[in-house]
């Protein structure tokens, strides 16, 4: 499969947003058909046939999301859940705040790389660091929150263990969704499937 850089992906997002704003339906169709996620001739043909029936920019985006991004989103959500589980397991074993932070940072970096790969995005050093910094504060919050709550609840049967499992997973999932929304080909604002809270998550990363 062909790959693109993070800057190219963000440029593509900006271009599609502009085409939607200008109500350039034909330009939007052409741009989406040329994206790297439409990697096979059969996919491109199926998408083009569906686009031919679309009468508005909203319909074009809805078709693109259903035929192309729906499958990709499922893969990314699966990856996010996987790393959320790993974060829970790692934080459950660890007993020190600095180790929690280090482990969470490593897991987050691996998740970031996997999400980029699913979108066919090649991360350079600068783009990788840019996304890492975007999630750094969240990783810090995860480690600190888990450690504080763990100390408060460690003597409470069951609850202490549950908090050690649940909190790291929830925070890692939130971080994964932020990255997903920040580098998705179609931004949340112009998506036909995203909710208001998901748009807020996207803005936090940009």
């Amino acid at each position: 499969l062909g790959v693109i850089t993070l800057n190219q992906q963000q440029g593509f997002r900006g271009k599609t947003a502009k085409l939607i704003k200008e109500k350039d339906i034909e330009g939007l169709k052409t741009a989406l058909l040329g994206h790297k996620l439409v990697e096979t001739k059969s996919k491109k043909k199926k998408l083009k046939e569906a686009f031919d029936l679309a009468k508005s920019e909203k319909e074009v985006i809805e078709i693109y999301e259903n035929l192309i991004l729906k499958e990709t989103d499922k893969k990314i959500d699966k990856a996010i859940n996987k790393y959320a589980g790993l974060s829970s397991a790692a934080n459950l074993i660890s007993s020190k705040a600095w180790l929690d932070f280090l482990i969470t940072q490593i897991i987050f970096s691996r998740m970031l790389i996997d999400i980029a790969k699913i979108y066919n995005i090649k991360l350079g050093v600068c783009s990788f660091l840019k996304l890492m910094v975007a999630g750094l504060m969240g990783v810090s919050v995860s480690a600190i929150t888990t450690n504080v709550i763990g100390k408060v609840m460690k003597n409470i049967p069951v609850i202490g263990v549950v908090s050690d499992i649940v909190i790291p997973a929830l925070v890692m999932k939130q971080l994964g969704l932020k990255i997903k929304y920040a580098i998705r080909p179609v931004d949340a604002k112009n998506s036909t499937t995203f909710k208001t809270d998901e748009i807020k998550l996207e803005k936090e990363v940009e």
Side-chain angles (χ1 to χ4, degrees), residues 50-165:
F51 278 172
D52 288 341
L53 301 175
K55 301 187 183 301
S56 69
E57 298 78 24
K58 184 177 180 180
E59 287 180 10
V60 170
I61 293 298
E62 188 172 7
I63 290 167
Y64 183 73
E65 290 192 325
N66 286 331
L67 295 183
I68 305 298
L69 293 185
K70 189 175 182 180
E71 181 183 348
T72 306
D73 285 343
K74 283 182 180 179
K75 289 180 182 177
I76 289 175
D77 289 340
K78 185 177 180 180
I80 291 172
N81 289 332
K82 167 188 158 187
Y83 286 105
L86 285 175
S87 183
S88 282
N91 280 278
L92 188 60
I93 295 170
S94 170
S95 59
K96 298 184 182 297
W98 67 268
L99 190 55
D100 287 345
F101 176 79
L102 180 61
I103 291 171
T104 306
Q105 187 75 0
I106 291 171
I107 292 172
F108 175 63
S109 66
R110 288 300 314 163
M111 178 175 68
L112 195 162
I113 291 170
D114 277 6
I115 291 174
K117 281 182 179 178
I118 294 170
Y119 279 136
N120 293 341
I121 295 174
K122 182 180 180 182
L123 291 178
V125 175
C126 291
S127 54
F128 174 77
L129 290 176
K130 179 182 177 180
L131 291 177
M132 282 295 291
V133 169
L136 184 61
M137 186 60 69
V139 172
S140 301
V141 170
S142 172
I144 293 169
T145 304
T146 303
N147 186 257
V148 170
I149 292 179
K151 285 181 178 179
V152 173
M153 297 186 170
K154 68 179 181 179
N155 295 321
I156 304 177
V158 182
I159 295 178
V161 176
V162 171
S163 69
D164 282 345
I165 296 172

Side-chain angles (χ1 to χ4, degrees), residues 25-26 29-30 33 44-56 59-60 63-64 67:
I25 187 170
E26 294 305 320
K29 290 177 182 179
T30 301
L33 282 167
K44 186 168 289 190
K45 182 182 178 183
K46 186 176 181 181
L47 188 62
K48 188 177 184 305
E49 288 174 351
F51 278 172
D52 288 341
L53 301 175
K55 301 187 183 301
S56 69
E59 287 180 10
V60 170
I63 290 167
Y64 183 73
L67 295 183

Side-chain angles (χ1 to χ4, degrees), residues 23-49:
K23 299 187 181 301
D24 185 351
I25 187 170
E26 294 305 320
L28 182 60
K29 290 177 182 179
T30 301
L32 293 174
L33 282 167
H35 193 267
K36 292 294 183 182
L37 286 179
V38 190
E39 76 277 8
T40 64
K41 288 182 179 180
S42 60
K43 257 186 186 179
K44 186 168 289 190
K45 182 182 178 183
K46 186 176 181 181
L47 188 62
K48 188 177 184 305
E49 288 174 351

